[in-house]
Amino acid sequence: MATAGDKTKETGNHSNDCSIRLENPNIAAMKEDVLYHFSLSTSTHDFPAMFGDVKHGMGIPSIAIMLHELIKLLYHARCSNITIIRIGTSGGIGLEPGSVVISQQAVDACFKPEFEQIILGKRVVRSTHLNNQLVQELLLCSTELDEFPVVVGNTMCTLDFYEGQGRLDGALCSYTEKDKQQYLKAAYAVGIRNIEMESSVFAAMCASSNLRAAVVCVTLLNRLDGDQITSSHDVLTEYQQRPQRLVGYFIKKCLKKA
Amino acid sequence: MATAGDKTKETGNHSNDCSIRLENPNIAAMKEDVLYHFSLSTSTHDFPAMFGDVKHGMGIPSIAIMLHELIKLLYHARCSNITIIRIGTSGGIGLEPGSVVISQQAVDACFKPEFEQIILGKRVVRSTHLNNQLVQELLLCSTELDEFPVVVGNTMCTLDFYEGQGRLDGALCSYTEKDKQQYLKAAYAVGIRNIEMESSVFAAMCASSNLRAAVVCVTLLNRLDGDQITSSHDVLTEYQQRPQRLVGYFIKKCLKKA
C-alpha cells in the first residue's frame, strides 16, 4: 500500500486499502452532494461513469477548494490507488533557471513542514510530508529522460507572491536587498530549493485523504539573482513544459507496468 | 481628502494628496518594472496613456497578486483620488439569501479586524479597516435604488471555503453541526453578516496604499440554514448582479457629480 504521510488509519465505505479516505462522516449520510464550483451533483451526475478512470494531476491557484471537491469527486466515483501530482512553476533558490524541483517536503514561510489553518476559530496544524517513494520514482524517471536538470529539495509555500516571497518589487516593501538575501540564503541552508504558493495545503490535504502525492515545479528564475521574471516568452514556455514532460514520462511508465 | 484607514503619511513621487502611495522605495529607482501576471512592462507600455483613467473595482481569487500589480499599475499611470470596490458573492449569516452586505470592516476567522502575513519569516499584522464614509455613501445609494435588501455588517474573510467556513460538506470535517452553529452564532453576535475569501487582504493593502476601498458582496445562502448552495441557476445569476447594480448606481452618481 502506498500512502502519503504516516497515517494508515482507514475510514469511509470502502474496505480496499487503495480507496479514497474521506475524513468526513457526513458525506456518506447525505442524499445529495453538490460540488458547487464544478457544477456537479451526485443526484444529477453519474460520478463513477464520468470520472471513475481519473488519474491525472492538476495545478491551480484556488487549490484548496479544488482539492475538497476533487477528493469528494474521486470518493463518489469510487476511484482507488490514486496518485496525484501538482505540476507548475516556481521561483528557484540557487538553481539554474529551468531546473525542475521534485519536492521532498513542503514547508511554510518559517521553514516548518506544516500547514496551519483556522477551523471554527481554532488553530489546526497539519503535516505537509510528501510520499518519499514517489519522489524516488520521479527522480529515476528524470535520470532516464535526461533532458533538463532535476533536483530533489524542499519547497517553500507562501500566501503572497511579493512580500511573502521576499520580493523587493511589490506594491509594499519594508525590507532591504540585504534582508532578502539573508532570508533566501537561510532558506537554502535548510534545503529549500524553490518557492511557490500551493504545495503545503496540497500535501496536507492529500496526506489526510490517503492520496499518494508529489509536487513537481520548474524554476523560472534564480531568486538570489533577482525578483522579476525576464526570460523570453519562448524560453518560459519551454520551461513550463518540463514538469509536464517529466510527469508525462512517469505516467507512461506506470501505464506500461499496469 | 478621502483616505482608507487612519494613515495620512504620504510617500512616493507625487505631492497630490489623492495620488497612490507606493509603500516601497525601490520602485521609483527601477529602470524597468515588469508586472509579470499582467504581461506589462513600464519599458514597453505607456501606463499613463493606457490606464490613466482607470477607476473600476475588481474581485478575483488571487486578489493579493492582482492588487500588488494593480496598485503599481495605478502608481505608474499616475492615477489619483482612486476608489476601489470589491464586488462578489459570499455566504450570509442570519440574512435572507440575496441580501447584499456592505462591509463595515473585514475580520479574520478569529473575528479580529486584522490581516496576518509572514514576511521574511516574521509575523506582520495589518489593519483591515475600511472607509466608513464610503460605506455610508453606498448605503445611501441602496436606499435610493431600493431594489433588494442591503445591510452594513462585518465580513469574515477565510483561507478555505469548507473547513475554514465551518462547512460540514468538505472532504475533511472534524466537527459537528452543533459546533458549527455555535461558531456561526458567535460570529453573528460580533456583527459578522457574511463570509468570503478576499476582503481582509483587500482592505489591508488598500489602506496601506491610500486607496479608498469598499467591499460589497451578495449572500447566496443563509449559512445558519445549510452549507450547500441550492438556489436555481437563474436565481443565483440575478443575486450575483445585485452588487454590480448597486456599485453601478454609485459610479453613475459619482460621474454625474464630477
PDB file of all heavy atoms in Angstrom, chain A residues 23-24 26 33-34 68-69 72 121 126 162-163 168-171 173 228, chain B residues 23-24 26 33-34 68-69 72 121 126 162-163 168-171 173 183 228:
ATOM      1  N   GLU A  23     -12.257  12.066   5.190  1.00  0.00           N
ATOM      2  CA  GLU A  23     -12.222  12.285   6.648  1.00  0.00           C
ATOM      3  C   GLU A  23     -13.417  13.133   7.065  1.00  0.00           C
ATOM      4  O   GLU A  23     -13.257  14.171   7.701  1.00  0.00           O
ATOM      5  CB  GLU A  23     -10.903  12.971   7.040  1.00  0.00           C
ATOM      6  CG  GLU A  23      -9.707  12.050   7.125  1.00  0.00           C
ATOM      7  CD  GLU A  23      -9.628  11.260   8.430  1.00  0.00           C
ATOM      8  OE1 GLU A  23     -10.626  11.225   9.176  1.00  0.00           O
ATOM      9  OE2 GLU A  23      -8.579  10.658   8.679  1.00  0.00           O
ATOM     10  N   ASN A  24     -14.604  12.730   6.636  1.00  0.00           N
ATOM     11  CA  ASN A  24     -15.817  13.470   6.978  1.00  0.00           C
ATOM     12  C   ASN A  24     -16.985  12.513   6.995  1.00  0.00           C
ATOM     13  O   ASN A  24     -17.463  12.086   5.935  1.00  0.00           O
ATOM     14  CB  ASN A  24     -16.052  14.588   5.950  1.00  0.00           C
ATOM     15  CG  ASN A  24     -17.286  15.406   6.281  1.00  0.00           C
ATOM     16  OD1 ASN A  24     -18.026  15.092   7.215  1.00  0.00           O
ATOM     17  ND2 ASN A  24     -17.517  16.445   5.491  1.00  0.00           N
ATOM     18  N   ASN A  26     -20.005  12.955   7.462  1.00  0.00           N
ATOM     19  CA  ASN A  26     -21.297  13.477   6.994  1.00  0.00           C
ATOM     20  C   ASN A  26     -21.622  13.094   5.554  1.00  0.00           C
ATOM     21  O   ASN A  26     -22.777  12.976   5.168  1.00  0.00           O
ATOM     22  CB  ASN A  26     -21.315  15.011   7.110  1.00  0.00           C
ATOM     23  CG  ASN A  26     -21.039  15.486   8.524  1.00  0.00           C
ATOM     24  OD1 ASN A  26     -21.769  15.144   9.444  1.00  0.00           O
ATOM     25  ND2 ASN A  26     -19.965  16.234   8.700  1.00  0.00           N
ATOM     26  N   ASP A  33     -25.049  15.391  -2.868  1.00  0.00           N
ATOM     27  CA  ASP A  33     -23.881  16.209  -2.554  1.00  0.00           C
ATOM     28  C   ASP A  33     -23.581  17.063  -3.780  1.00  0.00           C
ATOM     29  O   ASP A  33     -23.301  16.548  -4.862  1.00  0.00           O
ATOM     30  CB  ASP A  33     -22.696  15.313  -2.189  1.00  0.00           C
ATOM     31  CG  ASP A  33     -21.502  16.126  -1.675  1.00  0.00           C
ATOM     32  OD1 ASP A  33     -21.692  17.312  -1.341  1.00  0.00           O
ATOM     33  OD2 ASP A  33     -20.394  15.571  -1.607  1.00  0.00           O
ATOM     34  N   VAL A  34     -23.670  18.395  -3.600  1.00  0.00           N
ATOM     35  CA  VAL A  34     -23.439  19.325  -4.700  1.00  0.00           C
ATOM     36  C   VAL A  34     -21.993  19.822  -4.648  1.00  0.00           C
ATOM     37  O   VAL A  34     -21.579  20.403  -3.645  1.00  0.00           O
ATOM     38  CB  VAL A  34     -24.399  20.536  -4.622  1.00  0.00           C
ATOM     39  CG1 VAL A  34     -24.154  21.496  -5.776  1.00  0.00           C
ATOM     40  CG2 VAL A  34     -25.850  20.073  -4.602  1.00  0.00           C
ATOM     41  N   HIS A  68     -10.845  19.955  -2.167  1.00  0.00           N
ATOM     42  CA  HIS A  68     -12.031  19.481  -1.443  1.00  0.00           C
ATOM     43  C   HIS A  68     -12.995  18.807  -2.417  1.00  0.00           C
ATOM     44  O   HIS A  68     -13.485  17.710  -2.182  1.00  0.00           O
ATOM     45  CB  HIS A  68     -12.758  20.642  -0.751  1.00  0.00           C
ATOM     46  CG  HIS A  68     -12.278  20.928   0.642  1.00  0.00           C
ATOM     47  ND1 HIS A  68     -12.536  20.095   1.701  1.00  0.00           N
ATOM     48  CD2 HIS A  68     -11.545  21.947   1.144  1.00  0.00           C
ATOM     49  CE1 HIS A  68     -11.989  20.595   2.802  1.00  0.00           C
ATOM     50  NE2 HIS A  68     -11.379  21.724   2.495  1.00  0.00           N
ATOM     51  N   GLU A  69     -13.257  19.484  -3.541  1.00  0.00           N
ATOM     52  CA  GLU A  69     -14.259  18.963  -4.468  1.00  0.00           C
ATOM     53  C   GLU A  69     -13.706  17.800  -5.286  1.00  0.00           C
ATOM     54  O   GLU A  69     -14.414  16.830  -5.567  1.00  0.00           O
ATOM     55  CB  GLU A  69     -14.803  20.110  -5.329  1.00  0.00           C
ATOM     56  CG  GLU A  69     -15.430  21.180  -4.411  1.00  0.00           C
ATOM     57  CD  GLU A  69     -16.262  22.249  -5.105  1.00  0.00           C
ATOM     58  OE1 GLU A  69     -16.457  22.183  -6.330  1.00  0.00           O
ATOM     59  OE2 GLU A  69     -16.739  23.166  -4.384  1.00  0.00           O
ATOM     60  N   LYS A  72     -13.697  14.714  -3.030  1.00  0.00           N
ATOM     61  CA  LYS A  72     -15.067  14.195  -2.918  1.00  0.00           C
ATOM     62  C   LYS A  72     -15.491  13.520  -4.219  1.00  0.00           C
ATOM     63  O   LYS A  72     -16.143  12.473  -4.221  1.00  0.00           O
ATOM     64  CB  LYS A  72     -16.041  15.321  -2.553  1.00  0.00           C
ATOM     65  CG  LYS A  72     -15.838  15.860  -1.135  1.00  0.00           C
ATOM     66  CD  LYS A  72     -17.123  16.457  -0.554  1.00  0.00           C
ATOM     67  CE  LYS A  72     -17.602  17.654  -1.335  1.00  0.00           C
ATOM     68  NZ  LYS A  72     -18.915  18.108  -0.807  1.00  0.00           N
ATOM     69  N   GLY A 121     -12.450  28.955  14.456  1.00  0.00           N
ATOM     70  CA  GLY A 121     -11.743  29.890  15.338  1.00  0.00           C
ATOM     71  C   GLY A 121     -10.523  29.311  16.038  1.00  0.00           C
ATOM     72  O   GLY A 121      -9.855  30.019  16.782  1.00  0.00           O
ATOM     73  N   ARG A 126      -1.450  20.835  10.240  1.00  0.00           N
ATOM     74  CA  ARG A 126      -1.350  19.522   9.594  1.00  0.00           C
ATOM     75  C   ARG A 126       0.045  19.338   8.985  1.00  0.00           C
ATOM     76  O   ARG A 126       0.656  20.305   8.535  1.00  0.00           O
ATOM     77  CB  ARG A 126      -2.398  19.399   8.485  1.00  0.00           C
ATOM     78  CG  ARG A 126      -3.809  19.377   9.042  1.00  0.00           C
ATOM     79  CD  ARG A 126      -4.823  18.896   8.004  1.00  0.00           C
ATOM     80  NE  ARG A 126      -6.113  18.722   8.660  1.00  0.00           N
ATOM     81  CZ  ARG A 126      -7.229  19.372   8.329  1.00  0.00           C
ATOM     82  NH1 ARG A 126      -7.243  20.206   7.324  1.00  0.00           N
ATOM     83  NH2 ARG A 126      -8.347  19.163   8.986  1.00  0.00           N
ATOM     84  N   TYR A 162       4.685  38.510  -3.519  1.00  0.00           N
ATOM     85  CA  TYR A 162       5.634  39.625  -3.363  1.00  0.00           C
ATOM     86  C   TYR A 162       6.272  39.635  -1.971  1.00  0.00           C
ATOM     87  O   TYR A 162       7.310  39.012  -1.757  1.00  0.00           O
ATOM     88  CB  TYR A 162       4.947  40.954  -3.724  1.00  0.00           C
ATOM     89  CG  TYR A 162       4.694  41.038  -5.217  1.00  0.00           C
ATOM     90  CD1 TYR A 162       3.478  40.674  -5.783  1.00  0.00           C
ATOM     91  CD2 TYR A 162       5.705  41.435  -6.079  1.00  0.00           C
ATOM     92  CE1 TYR A 162       3.268  40.721  -7.149  1.00  0.00           C
ATOM     93  CE2 TYR A 162       5.519  41.487  -7.449  1.00  0.00           C
ATOM     94  CZ  TYR A 162       4.291  41.136  -7.984  1.00  0.00           C
ATOM     95  OH  TYR A 162       4.107  41.176  -9.331  1.00  0.00           O
ATOM     96  N   GLU A 163       5.663  40.297  -0.998  1.00  0.00           N
ATOM     97  CA  GLU A 163       6.250  40.350   0.351  1.00  0.00           C
ATOM     98  C   GLU A 163       6.447  38.954   0.931  1.00  0.00           C
ATOM     99  O   GLU A 163       7.443  38.679   1.589  1.00  0.00           O
ATOM    100  CB  GLU A 163       5.332  41.129   1.282  1.00  0.00           C
ATOM    101  CG  GLU A 163       5.238  42.604   0.996  1.00  0.00           C
ATOM    102  CD  GLU A 163       4.221  43.244   1.915  1.00  0.00           C
ATOM    103  OE1 GLU A 163       3.018  42.971   1.720  1.00  0.00           O
ATOM    104  OE2 GLU A 163       4.612  43.989   2.820  1.00  0.00           O
ATOM    105  N   LEU A 168      11.413  42.490  -3.717  1.00  0.00           N
ATOM    106  CA  LEU A 168      11.587  43.927  -3.488  1.00  0.00           C
ATOM    107  C   LEU A 168      10.682  44.755  -4.386  1.00  0.00           C
ATOM    108  O   LEU A 168      10.646  45.978  -4.275  1.00  0.00           O
ATOM    109  CB  LEU A 168      13.051  44.319  -3.739  1.00  0.00           C
ATOM    110  CG  LEU A 168      14.079  43.676  -2.801  1.00  0.00           C
ATOM    111  CD1 LEU A 168      15.486  43.931  -3.308  1.00  0.00           C
ATOM    112  CD2 LEU A 168      13.923  44.217  -1.383  1.00  0.00           C
ATOM    113  N   ASP A 169       9.964  44.125  -5.316  1.00  0.00           N
ATOM    114  CA  ASP A 169       9.252  44.867  -6.358  1.00  0.00           C
ATOM    115  C   ASP A 169       7.724  44.817  -6.242  1.00  0.00           C
ATOM    116  O   ASP A 169       7.015  45.000  -7.230  1.00  0.00           O
ATOM    117  CB  ASP A 169       9.700  44.370  -7.745  1.00  0.00           C
ATOM    118  CG  ASP A 169       9.337  42.900  -7.971  1.00  0.00           C
ATOM    119  OD1 ASP A 169       9.131  42.182  -6.969  1.00  0.00           O
ATOM    120  OD2 ASP A 169       9.263  42.478  -9.135  1.00  0.00           O
ATOM    121  N   GLY A 170       7.203  44.572  -5.028  1.00  0.00           N
ATOM    122  CA  GLY A 170       5.750  44.610  -4.838  1.00  0.00           C
ATOM    123  C   GLY A 170       5.254  46.026  -4.601  1.00  0.00           C
ATOM    124  O   GLY A 170       6.035  46.977  -4.607  1.00  0.00           O
ATOM    125  N   ALA A 171       3.947  46.174  -4.411  1.00  0.00           N
ATOM    126  CA  ALA A 171       3.387  47.493  -4.099  1.00  0.00           C
ATOM    127  C   ALA A 171       3.763  47.903  -2.668  1.00  0.00           C
ATOM    128  O   ALA A 171       3.769  49.078  -2.335  1.00  0.00           O
ATOM    129  CB  ALA A 171       1.866  47.470  -4.250  1.00  0.00           C
ATOM    130  N   CYS A 173       6.777  47.129   0.442  1.00  0.00           N
ATOM    131  CA  CYS A 173       8.072  46.520   0.754  1.00  0.00           C
ATOM    132  C   CYS A 173       8.723  47.299   1.874  1.00  0.00           C
ATOM    133  O   CYS A 173       8.936  48.505   1.758  1.00  0.00           O
ATOM    134  CB  CYS A 173       8.971  46.502  -0.474  1.00  0.00           C
ATOM    135  SG  CYS A 173      10.598  45.799  -0.144  1.00  0.00           S
ATOM    136  N   GLN A 228      12.334  39.726 -10.705  1.00  0.00           N
ATOM    137  CA  GLN A 228      11.440  39.758 -11.867  1.00  0.00           C
ATOM    138  C   GLN A 228      11.812  38.659 -12.861  1.00  0.00           C
ATOM    139  O   GLN A 228      12.977  38.292 -13.007  1.00  0.00           O
ATOM    140  CB  GLN A 228      11.486  41.154 -12.517  1.00  0.00           C
ATOM    141  CG  GLN A 228      11.023  42.261 -11.548  1.00  0.00           C
ATOM    142  CD  GLN A 228      10.291  43.401 -12.214  1.00  0.00           C
ATOM    143  OE1 GLN A 228      10.448  43.657 -13.418  1.00  0.00           O
ATOM    144  NE2 GLN A 228       9.458  44.107 -11.448  1.00  0.00           N
TER     145      GLN A 228
ATOM    146  N   GLU B  23       4.169  52.019  -0.955  1.00  0.00           N
ATOM    147  CA  GLU B  23       4.984  51.858   0.262  1.00  0.00           C
ATOM    148  C   GLU B  23       6.207  51.001  -0.052  1.00  0.00           C
ATOM    149  O   GLU B  23       6.470  50.006   0.625  1.00  0.00           O
ATOM    150  CB  GLU B  23       4.148  51.212   1.377  1.00  0.00           C
ATOM    151  CG  GLU B  23       3.210  52.148   2.106  1.00  0.00           C
ATOM    152  CD  GLU B  23       3.890  52.994   3.187  1.00  0.00           C
ATOM    153  OE1 GLU B  23       5.135  53.010   3.232  1.00  0.00           O
ATOM    154  OE2 GLU B  23       3.166  53.653   3.952  1.00  0.00           O
ATOM    155  N   ASN B  24       6.931  51.362  -1.103  1.00  0.00           N
ATOM    156  CA  ASN B  24       8.124  50.611  -1.498  1.00  0.00           C
ATOM    157  C   ASN B  24       9.076  51.554  -2.208  1.00  0.00           C
ATOM    158  O   ASN B  24       8.848  51.916  -3.366  1.00  0.00           O
ATOM    159  CB  ASN B  24       7.725  49.457  -2.417  1.00  0.00           C
ATOM    160  CG  ASN B  24       8.930  48.634  -2.839  1.00  0.00           C
ATOM    161  OD1 ASN B  24      10.081  48.972  -2.525  1.00  0.00           O
ATOM    162  ND2 ASN B  24       8.667  47.554  -3.556  1.00  0.00           N
ATOM    163  N   ASN B  26      11.814  51.076  -3.555  1.00  0.00           N
ATOM    164  CA  ASN B  26      12.602  50.506  -4.660  1.00  0.00           C
ATOM    165  C   ASN B  26      12.019  50.816  -6.038  1.00  0.00           C
ATOM    166  O   ASN B  26      12.735  50.893  -7.027  1.00  0.00           O
ATOM    167  CB  ASN B  26      12.698  48.978  -4.504  1.00  0.00           C
ATOM    168  CG  ASN B  26      13.290  48.574  -3.167  1.00  0.00           C
ATOM    169  OD1 ASN B  26      14.412  48.955  -2.846  1.00  0.00           O
ATOM    170  ND2 ASN B  26      12.517  47.851  -2.366  1.00  0.00           N
ATOM    171  N   ASP B  33       9.944  48.152 -14.773  1.00  0.00           N
ATOM    172  CA  ASP B  33       9.180  47.362 -13.813  1.00  0.00           C
ATOM    173  C   ASP B  33       8.235  46.469 -14.596  1.00  0.00           C
ATOM    174  O   ASP B  33       7.373  46.948 -15.332  1.00  0.00           O
ATOM    175  CB  ASP B  33       8.407  48.288 -12.860  1.00  0.00           C
ATOM    176  CG  ASP B  33       7.747  47.509 -11.720  1.00  0.00           C
ATOM    177  OD1 ASP B  33       8.095  46.330 -11.522  1.00  0.00           O
ATOM    178  OD2 ASP B  33       6.884  48.083 -11.037  1.00  0.00           O
ATOM    179  N   VAL B  34       8.425  45.147 -14.445  1.00  0.00           N
ATOM    180  CA  VAL B  34       7.608  44.177 -15.173  1.00  0.00           C
ATOM    181  C   VAL B  34       6.468  43.712 -14.278  1.00  0.00           C
ATOM    182  O   VAL B  34       6.710  43.181 -13.198  1.00  0.00           O
ATOM    183  CB  VAL B  34       8.454  42.954 -15.618  1.00  0.00           C
ATOM    184  CG1 VAL B  34       7.590  41.951 -16.374  1.00  0.00           C
ATOM    185  CG2 VAL B  34       9.641  43.404 -16.465  1.00  0.00           C
ATOM    186  N   HIS B  68      -1.162  43.831  -5.804  1.00  0.00           N
ATOM    187  CA  HIS B  68       0.219  44.321  -5.914  1.00  0.00           C
ATOM    188  C   HIS B  68       0.433  44.948  -7.294  1.00  0.00           C
ATOM    189  O   HIS B  68       0.959  46.048  -7.431  1.00  0.00           O
ATOM    190  CB  HIS B  68       1.220  43.176  -5.718  1.00  0.00           C
ATOM    191  CG  HIS B  68       1.636  42.961  -4.295  1.00  0.00           C
ATOM    192  ND1 HIS B  68       2.456  43.822  -3.617  1.00  0.00           N
ATOM    193  CD2 HIS B  68       1.339  41.979  -3.413  1.00  0.00           C
ATOM    194  CE1 HIS B  68       2.663  43.372  -2.377  1.00  0.00           C
ATOM    195  NE2 HIS B  68       1.975  42.249  -2.229  1.00  0.00           N
ATOM    196  N   GLU B  69      -0.010  44.210  -8.320  1.00  0.00           N
ATOM    197  CA  GLU B  69       0.263  44.669  -9.682  1.00  0.00           C
ATOM    198  C   GLU B  69      -0.673  45.809 -10.072  1.00  0.00           C
ATOM    199  O   GLU B  69      -0.276  46.758 -10.751  1.00  0.00           O
ATOM    200  CB  GLU B  69       0.226  43.481 -10.650  1.00  0.00           C
ATOM    201  CG  GLU B  69       1.285  42.452 -10.230  1.00  0.00           C
ATOM    202  CD  GLU B  69       1.575  41.339 -11.229  1.00  0.00           C
ATOM    203  OE1 GLU B  69       1.013  41.350 -12.337  1.00  0.00           O
ATOM    204  OE2 GLU B  69       2.392  40.448 -10.882  1.00  0.00           O
ATOM    205  N   LYS B  72       0.601  48.988  -8.354  1.00  0.00           N
ATOM    206  CA  LYS B  72       1.772  49.507  -9.074  1.00  0.00           C
ATOM    207  C   LYS B  72       1.361  50.114 -10.412  1.00  0.00           C
ATOM    208  O   LYS B  72       1.875  51.156 -10.829  1.00  0.00           O
ATOM    209  CB  LYS B  72       2.799  48.389  -9.297  1.00  0.00           C
ATOM    210  CG  LYS B  72       3.432  47.899  -8.009  1.00  0.00           C
ATOM    211  CD  LYS B  72       4.824  47.315  -8.243  1.00  0.00           C
ATOM    212  CE  LYS B  72       4.805  46.091  -9.129  1.00  0.00           C
ATOM    213  NZ  LYS B  72       6.173  45.653  -9.441  1.00  0.00           N
ATOM    214  N   GLY B 121       9.909  35.521   7.173  1.00  0.00           N
ATOM    215  CA  GLY B 121       9.853  34.637   8.340  1.00  0.00           C
ATOM    216  C   GLY B 121       9.261  35.271   9.584  1.00  0.00           C
ATOM    217  O   GLY B 121       9.150  34.600  10.617  1.00  0.00           O
ATOM    218  N   ARG B 126      -1.611  43.613   9.753  1.00  0.00           N
ATOM    219  CA  ARG B 126      -2.090  44.901   9.230  1.00  0.00           C
ATOM    220  C   ARG B 126      -3.577  45.073   9.520  1.00  0.00           C
ATOM    221  O   ARG B 126      -4.334  44.099   9.543  1.00  0.00           O
ATOM    222  CB  ARG B 126      -1.867  44.959   7.711  1.00  0.00           C
ATOM    223  CG  ARG B 126      -0.405  44.990   7.351  1.00  0.00           C
ATOM    224  CD  ARG B 126      -0.170  45.395   5.899  1.00  0.00           C
ATOM    225  NE  ARG B 126       1.266  45.566   5.687  1.00  0.00           N
ATOM    226  CZ  ARG B 126       1.993  44.887   4.798  1.00  0.00           C
ATOM    227  NH1 ARG B 126       1.420  44.020   3.995  1.00  0.00           N
ATOM    228  NH2 ARG B 126       3.286  45.105   4.689  1.00  0.00           N
ATOM    229  N   TYR B 162     -14.352  25.428   2.868  1.00  0.00           N
ATOM    230  CA  TYR B 162     -15.021  24.337   3.577  1.00  0.00           C
ATOM    231  C   TYR B 162     -14.741  24.392   5.081  1.00  0.00           C
ATOM    232  O   TYR B 162     -15.468  25.035   5.836  1.00  0.00           O
ATOM    233  CB  TYR B 162     -14.654  22.991   2.938  1.00  0.00           C
ATOM    234  CG  TYR B 162     -15.317  22.838   1.581  1.00  0.00           C
ATOM    235  CD1 TYR B 162     -14.651  23.188   0.411  1.00  0.00           C
ATOM    236  CD2 TYR B 162     -16.618  22.396   1.481  1.00  0.00           C
ATOM    237  CE1 TYR B 162     -15.272  23.075  -0.832  1.00  0.00           C
ATOM    238  CE2 TYR B 162     -17.257  22.280   0.254  1.00  0.00           C
ATOM    239  CZ  TYR B 162     -16.581  22.624  -0.895  1.00  0.00           C
ATOM    240  OH  TYR B 162     -17.210  22.518  -2.103  1.00  0.00           O
ATOM    241  N   GLU B 163     -13.666  23.765   5.541  1.00  0.00           N
ATOM    242  CA  GLU B 163     -13.362  23.775   6.982  1.00  0.00           C
ATOM    243  C   GLU B 163     -13.212  25.209   7.510  1.00  0.00           C
ATOM    244  O   GLU B 163     -13.635  25.520   8.617  1.00  0.00           O
ATOM    245  CB  GLU B 163     -12.058  23.034   7.245  1.00  0.00           C
ATOM    246  CG  GLU B 163     -12.134  21.550   7.022  1.00  0.00           C
ATOM    247  CD  GLU B 163     -10.766  20.934   7.209  1.00  0.00           C
ATOM    248  OE1 GLU B 163      -9.893  21.184   6.355  1.00  0.00           O
ATOM    249  OE2 GLU B 163     -10.562  20.229   8.203  1.00  0.00           O
ATOM    250  N   LEU B 168     -19.904  21.542   6.752  1.00  0.00           N
ATOM    251  CA  LEU B 168     -19.893  20.116   7.098  1.00  0.00           C
ATOM    252  C   LEU B 168     -19.664  19.233   5.875  1.00  0.00           C
ATOM    253  O   LEU B 168     -19.544  18.018   6.003  1.00  0.00           O
ATOM    254  CB  LEU B 168     -21.228  19.730   7.754  1.00  0.00           C
ATOM    255  CG  LEU B 168     -21.538  20.412   9.096  1.00  0.00           C
ATOM    256  CD1 LEU B 168     -22.977  20.133   9.496  1.00  0.00           C
ATOM    257  CD2 LEU B 168     -20.576  19.948  10.180  1.00  0.00           C
ATOM    258  N   ASP B 169     -19.612  19.825   4.674  1.00  0.00           N
ATOM    259  CA  ASP B 169     -19.637  19.020   3.446  1.00  0.00           C
ATOM    260  C   ASP B 169     -18.322  19.057   2.659  1.00  0.00           C
ATOM    261  O   ASP B 169     -18.307  18.828   1.456  1.00  0.00           O
ATOM    262  CB  ASP B 169     -20.808  19.466   2.556  1.00  0.00           C
ATOM    263  CG  ASP B 169     -20.659  20.921   2.103  1.00  0.00           C
ATOM    264  OD1 ASP B 169     -19.904  21.664   2.764  1.00  0.00           O
ATOM    265  OD2 ASP B 169     -21.291  21.304   1.096  1.00  0.00           O
ATOM    266  N   GLY B 170     -17.192  19.356   3.328  1.00  0.00           N
ATOM    267  CA  GLY B 170     -15.901  19.304   2.647  1.00  0.00           C
ATOM    268  C   GLY B 170     -15.351  17.891   2.610  1.00  0.00           C
ATOM    269  O   GLY B 170     -15.962  16.957   3.130  1.00  0.00           O
ATOM    270  N   ALA B 171     -14.174  17.726   2.023  1.00  0.00           N
ATOM    271  CA  ALA B 171     -13.521  16.419   2.003  1.00  0.00           C
ATOM    272  C   ALA B 171     -12.994  16.078   3.397  1.00  0.00           C
ATOM    273  O   ALA B 171     -12.783  14.909   3.718  1.00  0.00           O
ATOM    274  CB  ALA B 171     -12.381  16.408   0.992  1.00  0.00           C
ATOM    275  N   CYS B 173     -13.639  17.009   7.651  1.00  0.00           N
ATOM    276  CA  CYS B 173     -14.522  17.658   8.624  1.00  0.00           C
ATOM    277  C   CYS B 173     -14.401  16.932   9.949  1.00  0.00           C
ATOM    278  O   CYS B 173     -14.631  15.730  10.024  1.00  0.00           O
ATOM    279  CB  CYS B 173     -15.974  17.642   8.133  1.00  0.00           C
ATOM    280  SG  CYS B 173     -17.108  18.381   9.324  1.00  0.00           S
ATOM    281  N   TYR B 183     -20.270  28.387  16.336  1.00  0.00           N
ATOM    282  CA  TYR B 183     -19.283  29.287  15.726  1.00  0.00           C
ATOM    283  C   TYR B 183     -19.978  30.377  14.912  1.00  0.00           C
ATOM    284  O   TYR B 183     -19.674  31.559  15.043  1.00  0.00           O
ATOM    285  CB  TYR B 183     -18.348  28.464  14.839  1.00  0.00           C
ATOM    286  CG  TYR B 183     -17.271  29.264  14.141  1.00  0.00           C
ATOM    287  CD1 TYR B 183     -16.282  29.930  14.865  1.00  0.00           C
ATOM    288  CD2 TYR B 183     -17.224  29.325  12.741  1.00  0.00           C
ATOM    289  CE1 TYR B 183     -15.272  30.641  14.219  1.00  0.00           C
ATOM    290  CE2 TYR B 183     -16.219  30.030  12.089  1.00  0.00           C
ATOM    291  CZ  TYR B 183     -15.245  30.682  12.832  1.00  0.00           C
ATOM    292  OH  TYR B 183     -14.254  31.375  12.196  1.00  0.00           O
ATOM    293  N   GLN B 228     -24.734  24.001   1.491  1.00  0.00           N
ATOM    294  CA  GLN B 228     -24.692  23.892   0.036  1.00  0.00           C
ATOM    295  C   GLN B 228     -25.580  24.952  -0.609  1.00  0.00           C
ATOM    296  O   GLN B 228     -26.634  25.312  -0.074  1.00  0.00           O
ATOM    297  CB  GLN B 228     -25.085  22.476  -0.402  1.00  0.00           C
ATOM    298  CG  GLN B 228     -24.122  21.420   0.147  1.00  0.00           C
ATOM    299  CD  GLN B 228     -23.873  20.244  -0.786  1.00  0.00           C
ATOM    300  OE1 GLN B 228     -24.671  19.965  -1.681  1.00  0.00           O
ATOM    301  NE2 GLN B 228     -22.748  19.565  -0.604  1.00  0.00           N
TER     302      GLN B 228
END
